[in-house]
Amino acid sequence: MALTDPATEASRTATRPEKGRSLWTDARRRFLRNRAATAALAVLVLIAIFAFGGGFVAQYERDYVDFTLIGINASKGVPSFETGHYFGTDAEGRDLFARTVQGTRLSLLIGIVGSLVAVVVGTLYGAISGYLGGRVDSVMMRIVDILMSIPFMFVLILLLVIFGRSLLMLFIGIGLISWLGMARIARGQTLTIKNKEFVEAAIATGVRPLTIILRHIVPNLLGIVVVYATLLIPEMIIYESFISFLGLGVQEPNTSLGSLISSGASQVLNGGGEPWQLYFPLFFFVATLFAFFFVGDGLRDALDPKDR
Amino acid sequence: MLTFILRRLLVAIPTILILIVISFVLMFAAPGGPFNAERPLPPDVMANIEARYGLDQPYAVQIFNYVKNIVLHFDFGPSFKYRDQTVSGLIAQGFPVTLTYGTWAFAVAVVFGVALGVVAAVRQNTWVDYLATGSAIGASVLPNFVLGPLLVLVFTLWLGWLPAGGWYGGQWQYVILPVAALATSYLAAIARIMRSSMLEVMNSGFIRTARAKGLPMRRIILRHALKPAILPVLSYLGPAFVAMITGSVVVDVFFSTGGIGQYFVNAALNRDYSVIMGVTILVGVLTIVFNLLVDILYAWIDPKIRY
C-alpha cells in the first residue's frame, strides 16, 4: 500500500486502546537491546540443549568402557566422528561426550535447584522478616548472620560424609546455603516497599499480614529476586564442582564437571598426551559460568530500578 | 568502643557453640558408628573401643567434654582412623603450611587488589581500567580449582619455571603457585569493589575542594580518598576470608602442600569424623574471630558508625 488515508489512519490510532508498558515488557526490551546478554542467553540455550538432549546423540553410555581402546587410548581415543567418541574417551576408556553431557546436566540442575530454594525460602524469609520488623526482624536476621559466618563448605562436606555422597544430599546441602543471601536482599527491599501507599491501603482495608506479604510485597520483590537468582546459579555450580573436584561429590556412574575437570587436569599434568580430557569439560564449565554471569548482568541492567 | 567489642563477642560465642552443636548432632545422626567395619567386631571389643573414645556416655556429656577439652587444652580428641594421631596433632602439622601461603595470598589479594582498583578508578577508561574490569569478569569464571591446573599447565609444563607441587619447608618457588591460585580471584574482586567505590569518592564534594585548593593528585588520593573508599573492601574481607580458607582445601589437595586441607579431604574420604569435626570447628572459630577483627577495624576507620 503506497498511500494511507490520513483520516482512517488517525481513527485507527484513536480507537486502538493505548497499550500500557509494564515493568516486564520494559525490562524485556532493555534486555534484548543488550547484545552481550542476549548472546549469553543464546549460549545458555545451546548448553541446555546439549545437556538435556546430548544423550540422544551420544553413541555410548556414560559408564561403558570401550575395551577396544585399552592401551592405545592416547592415539585412538582422540575425539573423532569415526569412532563415535565425539569428545574422545577418558582415562578409563569411557566416552567423554556422554560424560560431559551428564556433567553439564548435573551442574545446571544443581544451579537451578539451589536458586529455586533461594527464591522460595529466601524471599519469603526476607519478606516476612522485613515486613514484621522490630524484634522479630532482628532475631531472624541475626540467625542469618550467624549461619552466614559459618564456613558452609566444611559443614556441607561433613554432611556428605555422614549421610553418604548422594545426589539428594548434595541438593539438600546446596539448598541449605543458598537462601541466606537472598533473605538479606529481600528484607532490604521489603523495608522500602512496606512504607508505600498501596501497602498502607491494604492495611487500612484490613488485609491480613500474610496476605499482604504474599500479594503485595513479594510480587514487587520479583525483579531483584530474578536478578539475584540468576547470579546465584553460577555460584551454586562452582560450589558443586568444587566438592566434586575434591572427589567428595556425586559417585560413579554419575559424574560432574568438577570431577571431569579434576581427572582431566591430573591426566594433563602427569604428562599425559590426552589433553582433550581437560579441555572439553573445562570449556563447558567456563562457558556455562560466563553465560550465566552475562545474563544476570543483563537482567540487572534491565530490572534494577536504580539504574533507570 | 569496648562495649561494641563486648557485644560482638556476645554474638560470636553462641555462633561457635551452634557450630559445635550442629557438627555433633550430624555425627550422632550418622547411620552406623565410626567403627562399624564390614566384619562386625565382637561386642566386648566394641564396648572397649567406645569407652576409649568416650562414645558410651550420654550425648550431653560428650558435647560438654569435647568443648571443655578444646577450650582448656586445645584438644580435639583422637583421630578415629589413625590410632596414634590426635586431631590437634594433625592440625599442628598442617596448619602452619596453610597459614603461610594463606597469609601471603590474603596480603597479595588485598594490597594488589586495592592498588589496581585505585589506578583503574583514577585512570578511568584507559587500558588499566579495562584490564582491571576485564580480569574481574575473567576471575569470577575461573575459580581456584580451575586456575590451579591452568597455572601448572603454563608455568610448569610449558615454561618450566616453577614446580608443580610440594612444599619443602616453604621455599619460595613452592609458595608462588599456591598463592597465585588462591589469591587471583579475590584480587580481582577487591579491585572491582575498590574501583567503583573510588570512583564514587573521587566525584564527591570534599575531593573537589581538595583539588580546588591545588593539592597534588598523589596527596589527594592517599590522604583524602583512600580511607573512605576502602570501607566497602573492608566489609568484603569477611566473606573473602571464608572463601579463601575454603579454597585452601583445593590448593592443599592440588599442590600437595601438606596443609590442613589435605588432612580434611583424606578424613572425609575415610569417614574420619573427629578430624572433619575438628577442622570444621577450627575454621569456624577462625572465621568468627576474623569477622570480629574486621568489624572492629571498620568501626575504627569509619567515624559514621555508631557502636
Side-chain angles (χ1 to χ4, degrees):
Chain A
M1 213 190 318
L3 281 169
T4 41
D5 183 3
T8 53
E9 180 72 9
S11 72
R12 202 187 297 151
T13 41
T15 50
R16 189 170 50 196
E18 189 61 40
K19 208 171 153 229
R21 280 179 18 208
S22 77
L23 169 77
W24 294 96
T25 26
D26 242 18
R28 192 168 59 228
R29 269 215 351 246
R30 264 196 300 271
F31 184 84
L32 290 177
R33 255 203 318 254
N34 184 339
R35 223 174 296 155
T38 27
L41 190 62
V43 170
L44 215 51
V45 170
L46 289 180
I47 290 175
I49 291 174
F50 171 79
F52 291 97
F56 300 111
V57 186
Q59 302 286 321
Y60 300 88
E61 290 292 313
R62 65 190 169 187
D63 54 350
Y64 170 78
V65 177
D66 199 340
F67 288 105
T68 59
L69 296 175
I70 281 194
I72 48 171
N73 209 357
S75 57
K76 285 292 185 301
V78 292
S80 93
F81 284 106
E82 280 156 38
T83 55
H85 296 295
Y86 306 129
F87 290 178
T89 52
D90 72 355
E92 276 84 41
R94 291 172 297 192
D95 184 36
L96 197 59
F97 182 82
R99 292 175 72 74
T100 310
V101 166
Q102 204 255 304
T104 313
R105 188 167 58 219
L106 182 76
S107 285
L108 290 183
L109 280 179
I110 287 279
I112 290 165
V113 167
S115 83
L116 268 185
V117 172
V119 167
V120 175
V121 179
T123 311
L124 278 180
Y125 192 94
I128 290 172
S129 172
Y131 182 76
L132 294 181
R135 190 156 299 163
V136 182
D137 180 38
S138 57
V139 169
M140 284 176 87
M141 279 301 121
R142 206 16 64 76
I143 292 174
V144 170
D145 284 348
I146 288 177
L147 289 179
M148 265 192 148
S149 64
I150 292 173
F152 248 106
M153 190 62 79
F154 291 83
V155 178
L156 180 52
I157 291 176
L158 183 66
L159 212 63
L160 284 171
V161 168
I162 286 177
F163 294 106
R165 288 149 47 190
S166 67
L167 207 56
L168 180 70
M169 220 49 230
L170 208 55
F171 281 139
I172 292 175
I174 293 277
L176 280 177
I177 318 174
S178 64
W179 62 275
L180 295 169
M182 184 69 95
R184 272 191 183 167
I185 290 175
R187 170 185 174 267
Q189 200 70 6
T190 305
L191 288 182
T192 60
I193 292 174
K194 77 169 183 187
N195 293 322
K196 295 266 167 69
E197 285 92 347
F198 64 87
V199 177
E200 256 170 54
I203 296 173
T205 48
V207 184
R208 284 179 307 134
L210 190 66
T211 319
I212 294 182
I213 290 172
L214 291 178
R215 282 269 177 72
H216 300 285
I217 306 268
V218 170
N220 283 294
L221 292 175
L222 277 186
I224 201 151
V225 164
V226 166
V227 172
Y228 187 70
T230 318
L231 290 172
L232 202 61
I233 292 176
E235 216 174 296
M236 295 299 126
I237 292 178
I238 290 180
Y239 275 154
E240 190 279 326
S241 299
F242 180 94
I243 293 173
S244 297
F245 184 88
L246 296 174
L248 301 171
V250 290
Q251 285 178 301
E252 297 288 347
N254 285 316
T255 188
S256 126
L257 287 182
S259 44
L260 288 175
I261 290 173
S262 163
S263 54
S266 67
Q267 221 291 318
V268 169
L269 300 182
N270 291 332
E274 301 154 39
W276 65 84
Q277 290 173 11
L278 175 62
Y279 297 152
F280 283 110
L282 194 60
F283 170 79
F284 279 94
F285 181 75
V286 171
T288 309
L289 292 188
F290 245 117
F292 271 116
F293 275 118
F294 275 109
V295 169
D297 235 36
L299 281 176
R300 177 162 48 202
D301 291 346
L303 282 170
D304 196 346
K306 267 186 294 184
D307 286 349
R308 290 273 158 81
Chain B
M1 190 68 173
L2 199 67
T3 49
F4 169 77
I5 296 174
L6 279 178
R7 232 184 24 231
R8 290 303 319 234
L9 268 176
L10 274 183
V11 182
I13 291 167
T15 312
I16 294 170
L17 285 180
I18 287 174
L19 182 65
I20 293 178
V21 170
I22 288 179
S23 344
F24 244 93
V25 168
L26 283 178
M27 206 168 86
F28 295 144
F35 302 107
N36 284 7
E38 277 173 32
R39 206 169 41 161
L41 296 164
D44 47 336
V45 175
M46 197 67 178
N48 260 337
I49 292 180
E50 291 199 331
R52 157 85 172 78
Y53 290 100
L55 296 175
D56 52 346
Q57 318 238 358
Y59 292 155
V61 178
Q62 285 186 40
I63 295 190
F64 179 76
N65 283 337
Y66 188 72
V67 175
K68 193 183 77 185
N69 281 333
I70 294 176
V71 173
L72 292 183
H73 315 292
F74 195 71
D75 179 8
F76 290 91
S79 157
F80 282 171
K81 281 282 143 63
Y82 303 105
R83 235 168 301 149
D84 306 334
Q85 301 267 31
T86 62
V87 178
S88 317
L90 291 178
I91 290 174
Q93 278 174 33
F95 192 60
V97 174
T98 309
L99 191 67
T100 306
Y101 72 77
T103 312
W104 274 110
F106 203 75
V108 166
V110 172
V111 171
F112 287 94
V114 167
L116 189 59
V118 169
V119 176
V122 173
R123 305 210 186 292
Q124 201 188 355
N125 296 328
T126 63
W127 65 269
V128 189
D129 188 21
Y130 295 137
L131 180 76
T133 44
S135 65
I137 297 174
S140 53
V141 296
L142 291 176
N144 42 34
F145 58 89
V146 174
L147 199 60
L150 289 181
L151 284 173
V152 171
L153 194 64
V154 173
F155 289 100
T156 308
L157 290 184
W158 294 350
L159 299 174
W161 289 350
L162 293 165
W167 187 247
Y168 298 99
Q171 291 171 42
W172 63 269
Q173 306 96 308
Y174 295 91
V175 181
I176 290 180
L177 284 187
V179 167
L182 195 55
T184 306
S185 52
Y186 307 105
L187 193 161
I190 288 174
R192 194 181 48 198
I193 295 170
M194 191 67 200
R195 174 183 175 273
S196 60
S197 94
M198 193 72 184
L199 279 178
E200 209 176 307
V201 170
M202 290 305 275
N203 287 325
S204 58
F206 69 95
I207 296 293
R208 200 179 312 133
T209 311
R211 288 164 85 152
K213 281 199 305 185
L215 287 183
M217 202 59 190
R218 174 186 299 270
R219 205 174 149 78
I220 291 176
I221 291 168
L222 292 181
R223 285 293 296 277
H224 298 278
L226 205 55
K227 204 164 137 188
I230 214 165
L231 287 174
V233 173
L234 270 189
S235 49
Y236 173 71
L237 289 187
F241 182 82
V242 177
M244 270 197 177
I245 219 167
T246 313
S248 76
V249 175
V250 157
V251 171
D252 277 334
V253 169
F254 184 73
F255 291 101
S256 318
T257 43
I260 219 167
Q262 227 168 331
Y263 295 112
F264 181 74
V265 172
N266 279 338
L269 291 171
N270 290 326
R271 296 171 73 88
D272 194 344
Y273 299 146
S274 58
V275 174
I276 307 179
M277 250 174 72
V279 174
T280 306
I281 290 168
L282 177 76
V283 165
V285 171
L286 280 178
T287 311
I288 288 158
V289 169
F290 185 83
N291 277 325
L292 187 68
L293 289 179
V294 168
D295 279 352
I296 293 170
L297 193 64
Y298 201 101
W300 182 56
I301 289 189
D302 188 359
K304 276 182 291 187
I305 210 157
R306 282 169 294 140
Y307 40 79

